[in-house]
Amino acid sequence: MIKNVAIVSLSSGLAGEDFVRHELDIGVKRLADCGLSVRFMPHALKGIAWTAAHPEERAADLLAALRDPEIDMILTTIGGDDTYRLLPYLFGHGELQDAVSDKTVSDKIFLGFSDTTINHLMLHRVGLNTFYGQSFLPDVCALSDEMLPYTRRYFEELITTGRIREVTPSEVWYESRDDFGPDRVGTEPVSHPDRGFELLQGAPVFSGKILGGCIDTLHDIFDGSRYADMPALCRRYDLFPPLEDWRGRILLLESSEEKMPPEKYRRALVYLRETGIFSAVSGVLVGKPMDEAYDAEYRRALTEVIGDPALPVVCNVNIGHAEPRCILPFGVPATVDVDRQRITFS
């Protein structure tokens, strides 16, 4: 069972702002009620501006949490958009590799999503398996009376067993909030019936180890429109796994709160196709878009850009930015079975 949780801000410093203090208080109490001891790493609550100016300190927090033998779980506060700037401080002189050289580090849980996709790829590069799908502010600190039931189910399984055995669809999905103020504490988000996992193309059953993340972030690995230096830094430190590493894996793609326009979504898929990834993976899992924005357009882009109707593609998975969220283990053998509406892990 997980006992000690370290909270890190590897992208945005939002958690350090006064206007989210009520959310932090909710989250810390919930973790304590789960029997967890919570430690905010030294720079996790420095605020947006300071955090943006100090990628080296964000990297230092991650390294310290990995090296600390008392920490069982590393939980990210939230995503953001520039955690790639940690690359020189984690790989410039082998810092991250040195931090994970102790075999006990492989037992630590790392959990996050969104821009944290980059951190997952960093840790994958040094041989660590991670967990994708939830983070502190959006999930543990949810403004409803409790964590959303589907979300809580997977979070509690992870902290009590250290693993996820099976993922099934949520019966409902929730509209995104536009107000996170203190007066919204105790309010429930608007819900709608959900449809379960939906097979877009290919065979309904396939297997492999899952890897991937937020398609917005994956787009920026190849495109410098957001940050001109990001593609070059990612190439310098070999962040995106080589094609051979993708063979037999399941590619996870989920879209962010920016509700990527369909033409940009298509461009992101083209970047991925140019790596050869769709000829290497055993299938694709696609997270439900927030508020179901551009759902039909994204599906059309997937079939047209992939260009191989035999490659399994499963949509409407409760992972990523649309609530509620499950948790998917990276690096663990998984079997997707759309007919039985489940993803199992061994």
Side-chain angles (χ1 to χ4, degrees):
M1 181 174 177
I2 303 304
K3 295 182 179 179
N4 300 307
V5 176
I7 298 181
V8 294
S9 295
L10 303 181
S11 296
S12 168
L14 177 65
E17 298 297 328
D18 287 341
F19 60 81
V20 299
R21 175 57 57 183
H22 60 291
E23 296 179 69
L24 254 66
D25 291 343
I26 291 170
V28 169
K29 183 179 185 303
R30 284 181 181 156
L31 292 179
D33 289 345
C34 290
L36 300 175
S37 173
V38 181
R39 182 191 312 175
F40 287 91
M41 296 306 287
H43 308 99
L45 300 179
K46 292 287 188 176
I48 294 172
W50 191 97
T51 301
H54 293 281
E56 74 284 0
E57 301 294 6
R58 289 183 262 164
D61 279 356
L62 176 60
L63 294 172
L66 287 167
R67 291 180 176 129
D68 190 331
E70 294 185 357
I71 290 174
D72 305 309
M73 177 179 184
I74 302 171
L75 178 62
T76 57
T77 55
I78 198 168
D81 64 10
D82 76 338
T83 198
Y84 79 94
R85 295 173 60 212
L86 277 60
L87 280 163
Y89 308 103
L90 296 174
F91 291 98
H93 297 92
E95 295 90 342
L96 187 57
Q97 185 64 63
D98 289 345
V100 303
S101 59
D102 187 333
K103 291 182 180 180
T104 62
V105 174
S106 64
D107 295 329
K108 290 182 188 286
I109 288 172
F110 178 88
L111 178 62
F113 73 103
S114 193
D115 186 47
T116 306
T117 297
I118 297 292
N119 306 123
H120 285 281
L121 292 177
M122 292 172 175
L123 294 168
H124 172 78
R125 193 187 150 195
V126 296
L128 287 188
N129 293 337
T130 55
F131 293 84
Y132 191 93
Q134 298 181 13
S135 60
F136 181 61
L137 275 175
D139 296 295
V140 181
C141 303
L143 295 180
S144 45
D145 281 334
E146 302 288 344
M147 287 180 67
L148 297 175
Y150 180 86
T151 301
R152 184 180 69 243
R153 165 183 156 193
Y154 291 102
F155 185 78
E156 290 182 347
E157 180 181 359
L158 183 61
I159 63 173
T160 55
T161 71
R163 60 183 297 180
I164 300 293
R165 292 184 177 274
E166 180 180 276
V167 167
T168 56
S170 173
E171 294 182 355
V172 298
W173 65 273
Y174 302 95
E175 294 182 14
S176 57
R177 292 181 184 268
D178 56 11
D179 184 353
F180 292 84
D183 61 327
R184 305 309 296 163
V185 173
T187 62
E188 301 297 322
V190 177
S191 66
H192 303 273
D194 210 342
R195 303 181 303 275
F197 303 154
E198 297 179 329
L199 184 65
L200 182 63
Q201 63 173 46
V205 180
F206 54 97
S207 299
K209 297 177 180 179
I210 301 173
L211 186 63
C214 181
I215 192 171
D216 306 57
T217 301
L218 295 173
H219 168 275
D220 294 345
I221 290 176
F222 304 100
D223 188 297
S225 300
R226 189 189 303 268
Y227 291 109
D229 64 335
M230 183 170 175
L233 267 180
C234 291
R235 287 194 302 271
R236 181 185 306 170
Y237 295 106
D238 299 319
L239 181 69
F240 193 78
L243 186 60
E244 192 58 35
D245 196 1
W246 287 104
R247 294 203 185 278
R249 291 189 185 275
I250 297 171
L251 173 63
L252 169 66
L253 299 174
E254 58 91 7
S255 49
S256 82
E257 78 284 355
E258 294 182 358
K259 299 179 179 177
M260 180 186 283
E263 58 272 20
K264 184 176 179 182
Y265 190 93
R266 181 177 294 266
R267 187 163 66 247
L269 291 173
V270 170
Y271 283 132
L272 291 169
R273 184 183 66 191
E274 290 173 346
T275 71
I277 195 171
F278 294 123
S279 65
V281 296
S282 64
V284 181
L285 292 177
V286 183
K288 186 183 190 74
M290 282 186 72
D291 301 316
E292 296 193 330
Y294 301 122
D295 187 47
E297 292 87 345
Y298 291 172
R299 295 183 190 218
R300 187 177 308 116
L302 284 159
T303 57
E304 293 175 358
V305 174
I306 290 173
D308 177 7
L311 181 67
V313 178
V314 177
C315 297
N316 207 53
V317 181
N318 303 109
I319 188 71
H321 287 72
E323 290 185 310
R325 288 179 268 268
C326 68
I327 294 172
L328 293 178
F330 283 176
V332 176
T335 297
V336 179
D337 188 332
V338 180
D339 291 337
R340 302 180 71 177
Q341 290 287 289
R342 68 182 191 180
I343 306 169
T344 54
F345 303 93
S346 59

